[in-house]
Amino acid sequence: MGKFVIHKTNTGIKFDLKAGNGEVIATSEVYSSEDACRNGIASVKKNAPVAEIEDQTAATVETKKNPKFEVYTDKAGEFRFRLKATNGQVIAVSEGYKAMASCENGIASVKKNAPDADIVEA
């Protein structure tokens, strides 16, 4: 069972979504308040299960409507995803993955873990 872990940073407050094995599968931006952070978590819980995948690494990109997971490559050539809410705001991002299959597994894990994940404070 996954969990959202809220923790303070030097500049605000953010969350990590962790899978049952403790691995971080998605992280948020830094929010200015705990309420805003909890709203971000609620948005991930709501949007992740229904979001389609838009593969921006494909030769022909099939644009999807929000909410969606956007898959892209970073400057290091690794695959990453970002989850966008219905309004187009980025609400969670992944780490870099060396293989597309691993990135797709990360998305599947967010879809599976986010809806019922507990919220804990670090």
Side-chain angles (χ1 to χ4, degrees), residues 3-112:
K3 64 183 174 183
F4 287 95
V5 180
I6 296 175
H7 49 96
K8 291 182 172 53
T9 69
N10 291 339
T11 56
I13 190 162
K14 63 182 281 194
F15 68 78
D16 290 325
L17 173 58
K18 294 188 175 188
N21 64 2
E23 288 287 313
V24 174
I25 48 178
T27 191
S28 73
E29 66 179 335
V30 176
Y31 295 96
S32 57
S33 71
E34 186 173 329
D35 281 348
C37 185
R38 287 182 178 272
N39 287 342
I41 290 170
S43 185
V44 172
K45 283 177 167 260
K46 179 179 134 196
N47 289 295
V50 297
E52 290 192 67
I53 299 171
E54 180 179 294
D55 182 0
Q56 298 181 343
T57 68
T60 307
V61 177
E62 188 181 326
T63 304
K64 304 288 186 184
K65 281 182 18 189
N66 291 326
K68 65 183 172 184
F69 285 95
E70 291 179 342
V71 175
Y72 63 99
T73 50
D74 64 15
K75 289 181 183 146
E78 292 189 324
F79 296 96
R80 293 181 177 264
F81 66 80
R82 58 186 155 239
L83 174 58
K84 287 190 167 182
T86 309
N87 65 4
Q89 268 196 306
V90 175
I91 50 177
V93 297
S94 73
E95 64 184 6
Y97 296 97
K98 299 224 181 297
M100 174 61 110
S102 300
C103 187
E104 290 168 339
N105 287 342
I107 291 170
S109 186
V110 171
K111 286 176 158 283
K112 179 180 146 209

Side-chain angles (χ1 to χ4, degrees), residues 111-122:
K111 286 176 158 283
K112 179 180 146 209
N113 285 288
D116 301 318
D118 291 332
I119 301 171
V120 298
E121 295 187 30

